[in-house]
Amino acid sequence: MSLSVVILAAGKGTRMRSSLPKVLHPIADKPMVSHVIDSARQLNASNIYVVYGFGGDVLKSQLTDKQSGDDLTFVEQVDQLGTGHAVDMASPFIKDDENVLVLYGDVPLTKVTTLESLIAVKPSDGMSLLTVNLANPTGYGRIVRDNGQVVGIIEQKDASAEQLLINEANTGILLANGGDLKRWLSNLSSDNAQGEYYLTDIIAAAHREGKTITTAHPDTEIEVSGANNRVQLAVLERAYQARQAEELMLAGATLRDPARIDVRGEISVGQEVVIDVNCIFEGKVAIADGVIIGANSILKNCTIGKNTEIKPHSIIEGAEIGEYCSLGPFARIRPGSVMKNDSHVGNFVEMKNTTLGEGAKAGHLSYLGDSDIGARVNIGAGTITCNYDGVNKFKTVIGEGAFVGSNSSLVAPVNIGAMATIGAGSVIVKDVEDNDLAVARGKQRNISNWPRPIKN
Ligand code: UD1
Ligand code: CA
């Protein structure tokens, strides 16, 4: 049977104290509701309905910007009359003969395997609930059983003293047949302590019709925890990061401290990778075998070839780093840069849109922008490619094996030939042929026994 997912996201989130709708507050740089949407996609949901109440415009723009939002249908719930009312907003879209899974936009850490287990236990002519045993279930709806069979859910505010002793709590996540769900929702009443249309009342309705109600359970409580304020959001963030760290270690990486790493995107690692403390990974990062990453480094949308060493405090973004390279400490590799195998970039070197050839070196204090640097080139300390005239950007090309002396300025557009040599301190404005030496600086004059000025 096909699956549709209804994601409840209509809450205002007053306790976030924010103009941003609650479900857009991020975990690992991604809106909470996007984590939920991703889970729905991993379940191959044929339709995803996002029930929203506030900030519809910002919600739609943030969730559909990413060119992948075509599978989302936004359904407005103008007045928040309860969870049952919220799901009912999607009823006009729901087909009779499909499974409907209800998820929550502010509960981002539910594992796909947990949802799969919920789907697996659902009887074809019944429904299933995700429940959790809590030492302190205060605030949650309680699962009411009769001879072990689920017969209903009672909300905290409607529960008797005896029912309040039940530890099995409703996570809110449930799965039902579309036709059943629509029928049950259309018959809900708001005659309860909160005057709301409770989604949870469909369980008693199912039981009255003689349907079987089965349950599945998450591995850990955090999977079904929501965030109502920024404190809870931070708790979820740490739990998410702990999970990322665990996955990296199980994939073969050594984390010097699994509590001090942040993954805000997708990272893949080979074996024998060592990551020191306080590194941040953003976007898509692929790290090959044997890579060592020093403390406090930030890697975003990049690939790192095998056995490369990134020394502490390096920042790499939008770059492709080859094998057996070394970078940093304090290297900054900006978008469009490529380091070929065996190349080396040292401290305080900035590269932008530049290819550094195989075995080439830029050891210290350089800016290399819009450049194509050949194999085995040596870039002396303090070399600057002057790529910008204040209006346009120009390219610098340096041939294989060239040697650029320290503190040279290469004023682009300019070509330095293969095996050419640039004298230290030169300002190069004209092309240099292969094998030539170019020296472009004031000639040194020595004055013997020069009398120093005397203080007046
Ligand atoms: C709900 C459940 C409770 C469960 C708990 C788990 C009901 C009646 N109760 O209680 O059994 O233990 O969740 O956290 O379902 N929402 C809407 N529109 C509405 C009302 C709510 O979109 O009209 C959204 C909220 O934004 C929130 C979610 O649904 O994300 C849950 O609503 P909330 O009012 O917090 O339900 P609880 O009282 O916590
Ligand atoms: Ca709640």
Side-chain angles (χ1 to χ4, degrees):
M1 220 182 334
S2 71
L3 176 74
S4 282
V5 174
V6 179
I7 300 175
L8 301 194
K12 192 171 189 176
T14 316
R15 284 169 284 172
M16 283 290 178
R17 297 189 176 275
S18 170
S19 56
L20 196 67
K22 173 162 83 167
V23 296
L24 289 181
H25 281 261
I27 297 292
D29 275 355
K30 191 163 85 174
M32 285 194 279
V33 67
S34 295
H35 289 268
V36 181
I37 291 168
D38 282 357
S39 300
R41 287 183 180 142
Q42 286 180 59
L43 293 169
N44 289 317
S46 36
N47 298 288
I48 301 173
Y49 302 107
V50 180
V51 180
Y52 70 94
F54 300 91
D57 290 340
V58 58
L59 201 74
K60 285 177 204 171
S61 76
Q62 283 222 15
L63 300 181
T64 49
D65 258 8
K66 324 239 152 76
Q67 73 196 171
S68 55
D70 308 345
D71 53 348
L72 303 179
T73 303
F74 292 89
V75 186
E76 187 175 12
Q77 184 193 23
V78 179
D79 297 309
Q80 276 70 57
L81 303 181
T83 50
H85 178 256
V87 176
D88 198 31
M89 297 296 103
S91 283
F93 302 95
I94 291 171
K95 294 197 263 315
D96 288 349
D97 60 345
E98 65 178 345
N99 276 330
V100 179
L101 173 66
V102 177
L103 299 176
Y104 296 80
D106 59 351
V107 179
L109 300 189
T110 317
K111 286 183 182 161
V112 171
T113 49
T114 296
L115 297 174
E116 282 167 347
S117 73
L118 183 71
I119 294 168
V121 300
K122 178 180 164 289
S124 57
D125 188 36
M127 63 173 297
S128 56
L129 291 176
L130 192 69
T131 75
V132 61
N133 278 307
L134 297 176
N136 176 12
T138 307
Y140 285 84
R142 308 298 208 283
I143 308 298
V144 181
R145 289 179 185 266
D146 186 12
N147 282 323
Q149 283 298 310
V150 175
V151 298
I153 296 180
I154 185 88
E155 291 302 299
Q156 167 91 19
K157 288 185 178 145
D158 301 284
S160 65
E162 196 188 347
Q163 287 166 328
L164 288 176
L165 297 175
I166 299 171
N167 288 99
E168 190 181 4
N170 175 35
T171 65
I173 295 172
L174 57 80
L175 182 70
N177 291 331
D180 290 342
L181 184 66
K182 287 188 285 185
R183 186 174 62 257
W184 297 329
L185 290 174
S186 67
N187 289 319
L188 287 181
S189 110
S190 59
D191 182 16
N192 53 51
Q194 301 183 76
E196 288 180 6
Y197 294 93
Y198 290 164
L199 174 61
T200 44
D201 283 350
I202 69 168
I203 285 78
H207 176 67
R208 276 195 300 273
E209 290 183 10
K211 310 268 188 203
T212 306
I213 301 143
T214 57
T215 56
H217 317 282
D219 294 336
T220 54
E221 217 177 295
I222 201 79
E223 282 194 57
V224 292
S225 299
N228 292 311
N229 57 41
R230 294 175 202 251
V231 177
Q232 292 170 346
L233 191 68
V235 171
L236 295 187
E237 176 79 34
R238 282 308 104 203
Y240 176 87
Q241 294 302 344
R243 211 185 258 183
Q244 300 303 305
E246 199 175 295
E247 279 175 21
L248 286 174
M249 292 186 287
L250 293 174
T254 295
L255 305 184
R256 303 291 285 265
D257 181 357
R260 283 182 288 170
I261 180 170
D262 282 85
V263 178
R264 302 167 189 162
E266 290 163 43
I267 174 174
S268 66
V269 289
Q271 297 182 2
E272 315 306 338
V273 167
V274 180
I275 301 173
D276 210 334
V277 300
N278 294 330
C279 290
I280 300 175
F281 300 89
E282 298 178 337
K284 275 209 162 95
V285 176
I287 298 168
D289 291 350
V291 169
I292 296 172
I293 303 175
N296 304 314
S297 293
I298 302 176
L299 277 68
K300 179 173 184 177
N301 293 322
C302 58
T303 58
I304 314 293
K306 68 176 182 197
N307 295 319
T308 282
E309 180 172 6
I310 298 164
K311 291 179 183 146
H313 301 282
S314 293
I315 302 179
I316 303 173
E317 178 179 358
E320 196 185 309
I321 313 296
E323 302 175 354
Y324 297 92
C325 294
S326 70
L327 304 80
F330 298 100
R332 180 167 184 218
I333 314 296
R334 292 170 52 201
S337 294
V338 177
M339 285 179 68
K340 297 276 172 86
N341 295 347
D342 283 313
S343 62
H344 164 72
V345 155
N347 42 207
F348 306 108
V349 172
E350 174 181 351
M351 275 175 57
K352 185 218 75 175
N353 192 29
T354 285
T355 297
L356 190 61
E358 203 166 319
K361 293 187 168 114
H364 336 259
L365 301 158
S366 280
Y367 171 66
L368 305 171
D370 301 311
S371 306
D372 197 345
I373 300 169
R376 297 173 303 283
V377 166
N378 186 86
I379 302 285
T383 297
I384 306 290
T385 56
C386 311
N387 60 330
Y388 185 50
D389 62 6
V391 188
N392 296 303
K393 300 256 169 85
F394 299 97
K395 196 167 177 183
T396 301
V397 179
I398 305 176
E400 284 187 17
F403 181 96
V404 179
S406 295
N407 208 32
S408 296
S409 301
L410 309 177
V411 182
V414 70
N415 292 298
I416 312 291
M419 298 305 287
T421 304
I422 308 297
S426 291
V427 177
I428 300 295
V429 297
K430 291 187 295 194
D431 287 358
V432 180
E433 297 293 311
D434 291 358
N435 306 308
D436 284 4
L437 166 69
V439 185
R441 60 178 184 235
K443 273 225 171 86
Q444 181 170 342
R445 209 159 47 106
N446 289 8
I447 298 167
S448 50
N449 294 318
W450 184 64
R452 283 191 181 172
I454 295 160
K455 196 173 173 80
N456 292 328

